Amino acid sequence: LAVVFIPNLIHRIPLAALAAMLVFTGTRLASPAEFVHTFKIGREQLAIFVFTLVVTLATDLLVGVGAGIALKIVIHLVNGAPLTSLFKPVIERDERDGVVVLTVRHAAVFSNFLTLRRRLNDLADTKHAVLDFSDARLIDHTVMEKLHETQAAWEREGRKLELRGLDSCEPLSTHPLAARKRAVVASLA
């Protein structure tokens, strides 16, 4: 936003100061500990991280970030997320005995999480809700992390957000917030 709205002010900043900030930030983001941490979350996360880093260094920041997002989408498609659910999740609502059940179908990924979060925010007066992933093919790391944070927030408010169906999905690493993928079972004809 600063580049778009106040470019003249940015041009007044000495290039040496900008370079120092970029080097400092870059070394913190690309430290060996970050590579190890990212690998523990999952190989696909490390691939996206390294790919984004290399493309950013070879081109510029916006191209690198765009390339990283594109790679993440490709990885989601390879892992079984239908193209139609990448940006608009299929979420069905049901209420049983005062418990709201949101059933997520197909995929819960970073690109459709805002809709899922909006549906959870609509449950502000609900004391107990269930997110059922029994019919989801893929739940990515970003969604797992955000759901973990949301569960903690609900708990602090004296509410309960229960996650179901994750046990039938295979985690892509041993990390507790790793992406989860449902194994596709081929039918015998």
Side-chain angles (χ1 to χ4, degrees), residues 48 51-56 59-74:
I48 294 164
F51 182 73
T52 303
L53 177 72
V54 169
V55 173
T56 298
T59 58
D60 67 38
L61 180 63
L62 291 177
V63 172
V65 170
I69 290 170
L71 178 61
K72 189 163 185 162
I73 289 171
V74 167

Side-chain angles (χ1 to χ4, degrees), residues 65-113:
V65 170
I69 290 170
L71 178 61
K72 189 163 185 162
I73 289 171
V74 167
I75 288 172
H76 287 337
L77 292 171
V78 168
N79 281 327
L83 184 61
T84 56
S85 69
L86 283 180
F87 300 101
K88 186 167 174 36
V90 177
I91 304 170
E92 297 171 3
R93 180 188 166 127
D94 190 20
E95 194 162 342
R96 301 177 201 141
D97 302 322
V99 177
V100 176
V101 177
L102 296 178
T103 303
V104 180
R105 306 213 184 273
H106 307 301
V109 294
F110 79 102
S111 54
N112 67 22
F113 178 71

Side-chain angles (χ1 to χ4, degrees), residues 92-160:
E92 297 171 3
R93 180 188 166 127
D94 190 20
E95 194 162 342
R96 301 177 201 141
D97 302 322
V99 177
V100 176
V101 177
L102 296 178
T103 303
V104 180
R105 306 213 184 273
H106 307 301
V109 294
F110 79 102
S111 54
N112 67 22
F113 178 71
L114 291 178
T115 302
L116 179 58
R117 186 176 72 184
R118 200 172 313 119
R119 296 289 296 269
L120 287 171
N121 289 342
D122 289 344
L123 304 177
D125 298 330
T126 303
K127 292 292 181 193
H128 185 190
V130 174
L131 267 177
D132 186 357
F133 293 100
S134 298
D135 293 331
R137 295 182 197 168
L138 180 69
I139 304 104
D140 79 355
H141 162 68
T142 303
V143 172
M144 289 299 299
E145 186 174 16
K146 295 299 181 189
L147 290 176
H148 181 74
E149 292 170 5
T150 304
Q151 267 186 316
W154 278 44
E155 192 173 309
R156 284 190 301 274
E157 297 168 0
R159 302 163 63 203
K160 182 178 180 182

